[in-house]
Amino acid sequence: MNAPTIELFDTTLRDGTQGEHVTLSVNDKLRIAHRLDAFGIDVIEGGWPGSNPKDYAFFERAQEVAWRQAQICAFGSTRRPGNRPEEDPNLRCLLEANTPTVSIFGKSWTFHAEVALGVSLDENLAMIASSVAFLRAHDKRVIYDAEHFFDGYKADPDYALETLRAAAEAGADTLVLCDTNGGTLPTEVRRLVAEVGAHFEQTIGIHTHNDSGCAVANTLMAVEAGARHVQGTINGIGERTGNVDLCAAIANLQLKMGYACVDPEHLARLTDLSHFVDEVANLDPIDRAAYVGRSAFAHKGGIHVSAVMKDPRAYEHLAPETVGNKRRVLVSDLSGQSNVRYKAAEFGITLNGKDEARQAVQRIKELEHLGYEFQGAEASFELLLRAIQGEETNFFSLERLRVRSEHSDAGEEYSEATIVVRVQGHRELAVAEGVGPVDALSQALHEALCRSYPSLEAVRLADYKVRVLNPKDATAAVVRVLVEHHDGERSWHTVGVSANILEASWQALADGIRYHLFHNAVPLATAPALSVSVPGA
Ligand SMILES: [Zn+2]
């Protein structure tokens, strides 16, 4: 028997953009729509053409695209009270969007019809019926979104059903029950979807919000009760606490409940899709996100790690590769030798002798005690392991450096760094300006090394963070500097710790550059290493 199919309806580009901090340009929307189409989303709701010109522009451009399989859908409301459908500006905009499918929402809740909209209950039914009929007469597939359905049904079940009937009889093929305020709980959703579904031949859809933390659970319950159309957004972005996260919903429905949502091979792109949307929307990814988060398969405790190394099923609910994610072993002061060994293997380093692993754990503990943290600085950790292995990563050495910073009350800032390094048997001196002392130092180091190592041209300082570790004891405050470098394709993180911020910055910057040079197979410095000394700040 074939698995029952679920129609996936993505509203990242419409409901998702209602979320705080989310703005998408027309181009952003098109890029995301392409990914959704390739992934296997059936219906892509592009926006509300009646509400803003940007959404209108999206639909104009979407018409020129040969979508692989997705239907592009425009969203709008039922006609205004008193308007004839053909004269209603909202419905006209929906037609002008020129999409094969439209979704329109209407009121299910007597309170909303009478108070928010200020119309009689009969007029509300007429608005739903005539709007759907008008769109059907223009050959649109109509998906009807019953706004506040669960609240409306609880207040007046007969009337809520009548609103659905009005949409169904006018030709809507899908009746979507919306938990607009997000307050309904899973047991209720399950019971009500089953009850309502029994009245209709049409496909029942579910649209949930996460205000009670139950959006995914509510979606699963609705499907179990018979819904076959699921609306949501990638990563659950959306108004207030967001919509249902389609990533988790799809993975659960397909991998755990046996429904067919997307081509099984496409599921392995789920994590990628999630990251892509965050990146385009300029949002920080949520590490703890189910299935697709960076920490979703991360192991920290030593006991967990040794068990996972024997058999991942010990602490993983499924194989991370199924959804395109990765198992990660975190380096922390909880580390036992198995963490270190596992981590080393990830870098392609085999810690053979028992001694090496023990030595590494010992060294990590010492450094962590000083304030180093390797969880966010895996490149420094890798260099540390390589040093324990006796591998040479000494591509240059510092002779001296000086950084000068000036600023005025007017807010003008000026930083200049002078650096002398030994590289490939000779001395290089470089002077550079930068935005702040760390940037100036990075520029100067770059300048000093580029001639010897041209691949550094592509490497940039992407970010750095300074954290004061023991602010109570101000005279001996130690700072930890985390640095991110980027080479246009990938980024890596390094760390430095010292009571002197310049020295901490230097350690992190130098590690970042060494890491790049190590992985770009360049010859090592031939000069003997000089000791690294950093003058006071
Ligand atoms: Zn919504």
Side-chain angles (χ1 to χ4, degrees), residues 60-182:
E60 221 168 40
R61 291 183 49 192
Q63 290 172 52
E64 293 154 19
V65 179
W67 301 98
R68 279 196 220 179
Q69 47 84 44
Q71 301 164 36
I72 302 296
C73 172
F75 173 84
S77 72
T78 55
R79 67 167 172 81
R80 290 261 173 80
N83 277 356
R84 297 211 329 241
E86 55 276 21
E87 288 159 358
D88 186 79
N90 222 323
L91 293 180
R92 293 232 62 92
C93 284
L94 271 177
L95 290 187
E96 281 163 29
N98 207 13
T99 55
T101 303
V102 294
S103 55
I104 61 164
F105 75 95
K107 302 287 185 192
S108 332
W109 192 0
T110 50
F111 160 71
H112 251 271
E114 291 175 326
V115 178
L117 212 52
V119 298
S120 73
L121 297 181
D122 282 344
E123 170 66 356
N124 182 46
L125 293 176
M127 282 158 59
I128 296 168
S130 60
S131 303
V132 173
F134 172 76
L135 294 166
R136 287 292 299 133
H138 286 84
D139 273 343
K140 303 291 179 192
R141 174 189 172 194
V142 180
I143 295 170
Y144 177 70
D145 282 0
E147 198 191 25
H148 294 110
F149 185 81
F150 295 93
D151 298 313
Y153 188 83
K154 283 188 275 183
D156 187 339
D158 291 338
Y159 184 74
L161 286 175
E162 266 188 82
T163 64
L164 291 183
R165 213 167 283 125
E169 284 169 4
D173 68 25
T174 304
L175 307 172
V176 184
L177 313 185
C178 302
D179 188 24
T180 310
N181 293 0

Side-chain angles (χ1 to χ4, degrees), residues 393-413:
T393 55
N394 183 38
F395 297 92
F396 56 90
S397 59
L398 179 69
E399 200 172 296
R400 64 183 170 84
L401 67 77
R402 190 181 68 198
V403 178
R404 202 166 60 120
S405 274
E406 289 168 16
H407 39 172
S408 68
D409 282 348
E412 286 157 14
E413 210 186 307

Side-chain angles (χ1 to χ4, degrees), residues 248-518:
I250 292 170
N252 284 325
L253 287 168
Q254 184 146 328
L255 297 170
K256 305 216 167 152
M257 292 167 72
Y259 292 95
C261 297
V262 295
D263 184 330
E265 283 172 22
H266 290 190
L267 258 196
R269 297 187 213 148
L270 190 65
T271 301
D272 200 39
L273 174 67
S274 159
H275 292 178
F276 178 80
V277 169
D278 276 336
E279 200 180 293
V280 174
N282 198 20
L283 296 169
D284 285 332
I286 299 167
D287 288 348
R288 277 177 288 103
Y291 291 98
V292 294
R294 212 173 112 75
S295 308
F297 301 91
H299 305 285
K300 186 169 172 184
I303 297 169
H304 284 212
V305 173
S306 56
V308 163
M309 285 173 75
K310 285 183 198 134
D311 189 333
R313 287 175 302 180
Y315 288 99
E316 286 174 2
H317 68 125
L318 53 72
E321 303 77 36
T322 325
V323 290
N325 208 337
K326 272 202 324 207
R327 175 173 309 123
R328 291 169 61 235
V329 166
L330 306 178
V331 188
S332 80
D333 55 3
L334 295 173
S335 297
Q337 293 182 23
S338 27
N339 290 43
V340 173
R341 241 183 253 284
Y342 185 93
K343 204 73 214 170
E346 250 180 41
F347 302 137
I349 304 171
T350 321
L351 290 179
N352 284 324
K354 219 184 158 95
D355 260 10
E356 282 174 345
R358 196 184 307 126
Q359 211 186 324
V361 170
Q362 184 62 30
R363 187 79 187 116
I364 292 161
K365 287 194 171 163
E366 284 163 18
L367 289 169
E368 283 187 333
H369 183 71
L370 292 175
Y372 283 80
E373 192 188 292
F374 293 104
Q375 236 148 272
E378 296 205 339
S380 283
F381 182 66
E382 182 183 332
L383 290 175
L384 177 91
L385 290 183
R386 294 199 182 278
I388 287 172
Q389 281 285 91
E391 287 183 75
E392 193 54 75
T393 55
N394 183 38
F395 297 92
F396 56 90
S397 59
L398 179 69
E399 200 172 296
R400 64 183 170 84
L401 67 77
R402 190 181 68 198
V403 178
R404 202 166 60 120
S405 274
E406 289 168 16
H407 39 172
S408 68
D409 282 348
E412 286 157 14
E413 210 186 307
Y414 170 85
S415 292
E416 184 193 277
T418 308
I419 194 169
V420 181
V421 291
R422 284 263 165 195
V423 54
Q424 292 180 347
H426 59 273
R427 226 169 147 255
E428 288 276 359
L429 177 141
V431 182
E433 295 177 341
V435 187
V438 178
D439 185 49
L441 187 53
S442 164
Q443 302 276 0
L445 178 61
H446 212 259
E447 183 86 28
L449 296 178
C450 261
R451 231 176 323 144
S452 308
Y453 301 120
S455 73
L456 281 172
E457 283 294 351
V459 176
R460 290 284 168 273
L461 173 65
D463 193 14
Y464 77 92
K465 293 190 185 88
V466 178
R467 180 129 184 224
V468 179
L469 296 179
N470 45 353
K472 272 182 235 146
D473 184 7
T475 51
V478 165
V479 293
R480 176 165 65 220
V481 175
L482 278 173
V483 159
E484 179 184 351
H485 278 97
H486 202 277
D487 65 5
E489 270 170 37
R490 51 186 303 241
S491 59
W492 59 97
H493 300 81
T494 51
V495 63
V497 172
S498 170
N500 177 337
I501 186 169
L502 268 188
E503 179 170 345
S505 306
W506 165 257
Q507 290 170 6
L509 286 170
D511 259 14
I513 299 298
R514 286 197 182 101
Y515 179 84
H516 165 82
L517 295 175
F518 184 86

Side-chain angles (χ1 to χ4, degrees), residues 226-250:
R228 291 293 178 268
H229 167 106
V230 166
Q231 301 196 347
T233 64
I234 301 301
N235 302 331
I237 63 175
E239 243 165 311
R240 305 186 307 276
T241 56
N243 288 61
V244 65
D245 174 11
L246 273 186
C247 298
I250 292 170

